[in-house]
Amino acid sequence: MSASPETLGGTRVHATAIIDPTAQIGRDVEIGPWAIVGPHCEVGDGARIGARATLERNVRLGQRVSVGSGAILGGDPQDLKFRGEETWVEIGDDTAIREYVTINRGTAHSVTTRVGRHCFLMSYVHLAHDCQLGDHIIISNGTQLAGHVQIEDRAIISGLCAVHQFVRVGRHSFIGGCSRVTQDVPPYVRAVGNPIKLFGLNSVGLQRSGFAEPVVRELKKAYRFCFRSDLNLSQGVERARGELEQIPEVQHFLAFIEASQRGVGF
């Protein structure tokens, strides 16, 4: 499909846009002025690509994804071990990527840098190679994720945060602005600082997400055992397993802590 000022099958491509012949463009797509869609890119139905945005190569956009002006997706990974392998960026349906966001392709480690469905990445966010993001995630302006970061569903990361490589951020957690995240952030908690520290459950977020009061109550007890008692972390996990109702949320909270390779912020 070449650049054309015409509307083809509901798709609108500005005359100045450049579309590689190997790119696949869905229906009802809009591609703005001076945008570039490079080799082997796939643009899902209803997607919007803003002015001067670039899909460099090997980018798959789901349906109704929006890409803001000046964003660059699918650039080479910034990793000295990269040797030109075929790697990808994948963006899930209904995700919004705002102005000047950069998302690099994966490496041989995981092949794909992946962003889930219904995510919102605000201006100047950077996702390095091999990052894995779940669904319904919000990342605010200027936050930078190093390689191999994993973020679970419905986490929120505020603006101007720096997240160290291989860090994991648990589901329904909230990270405050300007934080330096060098350790894992467990699910369901609030965290902020340089270095990162935990400040209890993300109670407001859990309430907004419809968590039942008995579930929140058990999570609070698990948090206290692990982070607000005289027990060390492994003892706190053991006691929580022995004394609390093992509902799925408590099990996930404890399993996340046990699986941590970088440690968790206190």
Side-chain angles (χ1 to χ4, degrees):
M1 182 177 180
S2 60
S4 169
E6 300 178 356
T7 299
L8 303 175
T11 290
R12 298 170 296 285
V13 180
H14 194 274
T16 58
I18 300 173
I19 313 296
D20 188 89
T22 64
Q24 300 179 35
I25 309 298
R27 297 168 298 177
D28 192 30
V29 169
E30 183 176 332
I31 302 177
W34 308 108
I36 299 172
V37 180
H40 308 294
C41 290
E42 302 173 15
V43 180
D45 296 347
R48 300 289 182 266
I49 300 176
R52 301 184 185 276
T54 299
L55 310 186
E56 286 202 9
R57 67 183 309 113
N58 295 9
V59 177
R60 298 186 180 110
L61 299 184
Q63 297 183 21
R64 299 173 299 279
V65 171
S66 63
V67 180
S69 301
I72 302 176
L73 280 58
D76 286 351
Q78 298 174 117
D79 186 334
L80 295 176
K81 299 185 296 299
F82 180 66
R83 294 294 181 267
E85 310 92 288
E86 181 177 311
T87 58
W88 293 83
V89 165
E90 293 185 357
I91 311 295
D93 297 346
D94 299 294
T95 282
I97 297 170
R98 293 300 300 266
E99 300 82 1
Y100 302 104
V101 167
T102 54
I103 304 178
N104 293 344
R105 300 196 314 280
T107 67
H109 182 273
S110 67
V111 179
T112 303
T113 301
R114 184 173 286 105
V115 179
R117 299 176 295 111
H118 297 278
C119 295
F120 186 16
L121 275 55
M122 300 185 193
S123 300
Y124 296 99
V125 164
H126 172 70
L127 303 186
H129 60 87
D130 301 292
C131 285
Q132 306 292 317
L133 276 62
D135 300 334
H136 296 276
I137 288 165
I138 298 173
I139 304 181
S140 295
N141 302 58
T143 283
Q144 312 284 289
L145 273 58
H148 308 279
V149 168
Q150 299 179 37
I151 304 179
E152 296 182 346
D153 296 350
R154 296 186 182 275
I156 298 176
I157 304 180
S158 301
L160 300 175
C161 292
V163 184
H164 195 281
Q165 61 187 6
F166 291 102
V167 157
R168 299 180 305 145
V169 177
R171 65 179 66 157
H172 290 277
S173 59
F174 176 88
I175 299 176
C178 299
S179 294
R180 178 167 64 94
V181 188
T182 59
Q183 293 184 298
D184 294 347
V185 176
Y188 315 116
V189 305
R190 291 178 297 132
V192 67
N194 182 0
I196 198 80
K197 293 186 181 298
L198 305 184
F199 289 90
L201 289 189
N202 179 23
S203 300
V204 173
L206 298 181
Q207 182 181 23
R208 289 174 177 171
S209 295
F211 276 59
E213 181 56 35
V215 173
V216 176
R217 186 164 53 246
E218 292 301 293
L219 284 171
K220 285 181 178 178
K221 292 176 184 177
Y223 180 87
R224 291 192 192 105
F225 280 139
C226 293
F227 300 112
R228 293 295 181 266
S229 72
D230 294 331
L231 305 172
N232 64 36
L233 194 53
S234 60
Q235 290 170 336
V237 169
E238 182 179 0
R239 186 167 174 186
R241 288 199 185 282
E243 297 187 19
L244 299 182
E245 182 181 354
Q246 294 303 296
I247 56 177
E249 293 81 0
V250 169
Q251 290 179 338
H252 181 66
F253 178 80
L254 299 176
F256 184 100
I257 293 169
E258 289 180 313
S260 178
Q261 298 296 309
R262 295 195 55 82
V264 294
F266 285 86

